[in-house]
Amino acid sequence: INSPAVEEALDIGEIDLGLLHPPLERPHLRQLPLPDEPMVLAMPVGHPLADLPLIDFADLAGEPLLTAPRSVGPVLFDKLIGTFRGAGVEPRIVQEATPVTTLAGLVAAGAGIGFVTQGVAHATRPGVEFREVVGAPGVPMALAWAPPDPTPTAQRFIDVVDAVWRRRQPHSAER
């Protein structure tokens, strides 16, 4: 489920809490910002890029690129395309796909390469390997809920996530 759909589900009360990618299209929703999640490159097993000791955006010139549609996450889409262009590379988008599991399936089938979050990479998929790319943008993350307050169960989850996040910070500071 993409972030706009999560926001809608929160608004109409279908869910109490959602994990999504800010900025929110519905600013009245409340949120707990989380650390950005790194993006990694998904490529078919055996792709020549996998042999490079270090991959940067210039190495991706001419590669067939699979992306989520801009409408699903315009800020992230623009950030990714801007990173390509900042490296002097015009991305060659050959197909848009959502959800990210579909994108990974297309990568496994050899349709192109694409960026996914590190969390997706940890879920592994046969036929796909994942590599870091120098300068790849992070994906903003947040927990969100409809005002005024989260349900008691959602609040307990928020408290746990917040505590874990704070413990992972080098110098926890009040936000």
Side-chain angles (χ1 to χ4, degrees), residues 82-147:
T83 304
F84 271 94
R85 291 179 177 154
V89 175
E90 186 60 36
R92 186 167 68 95
I93 299 172
V94 295
Q95 187 167 349
E96 294 179 335
T98 189
V100 71
T101 51
T102 300
L103 188 143
L106 289 167
V107 167
I113 61 172
F115 282 88
V116 299
T117 61
Q118 198 168 54
V120 170
H122 288 305
T124 66
R125 177 173 179 96
V128 180
E129 54 186 298
F130 303 93
R131 293 283 307 278
E132 291 182 14
V133 176
V134 176
V139 178
M141 303 291 290
L143 285 175
W145 59 93

Side-chain angles (χ1 to χ4, degrees), residues 4-174:
V6 170
E7 289 186 47
E8 181 177 351
L10 288 167
D11 247 356
I12 63 175
E14 284 184 352
I15 60 175
D16 295 329
L17 190 64
L19 181 65
L20 43 66
H21 307 295
L24 304 181
E25 292 179 3
R26 299 170 191 227
H28 66 279
L29 294 174
R30 311 232 359 234
Q31 65 179 305
L32 171 67
L34 300 172
D36 286 1
E37 187 171 10
M39 292 188 82
V40 296
L41 184 66
M43 66 188 87
V45 168
H47 192 284
L49 288 171
D51 294 332
L52 297 177
L54 199 60
I55 301 172
D56 62 34
F57 277 83
D59 297 319
L60 306 181
E63 291 288 338
L65 182 65
L66 309 167
T67 68
R70 185 178 186 281
S71 62
V72 171
V75 171
L76 180 57
F77 181 92
D78 292 347
K79 189 188 295 188
L80 183 61
I81 298 305
T83 304
F84 271 94
R85 291 179 177 154
V89 175
E90 186 60 36
R92 186 167 68 95
I93 299 172
V94 295
Q95 187 167 349
E96 294 179 335
T98 189
V100 71
T101 51
T102 300
L103 188 143
L106 289 167
V107 167
I113 61 172
F115 282 88
V116 299
T117 61
Q118 198 168 54
V120 170
H122 288 305
T124 66
R125 177 173 179 96
V128 180
E129 54 186 298
F130 303 93
R131 293 283 307 278
E132 291 182 14
V133 176
V134 176
V139 178
M141 303 291 290
L143 285 175
W145 59 93
D149 296 312
T151 64
T153 302
Q155 184 61 58
R156 289 195 61 201
F157 186 80
I158 292 166
D159 292 344
V160 169
V161 169
D162 192 37
V164 169
W165 179 77
R166 286 178 187 278
R167 277 198 303 266
R168 291 185 178 190
Q169 299 306 304
H171 294 57
S172 285
E174 270 318 294

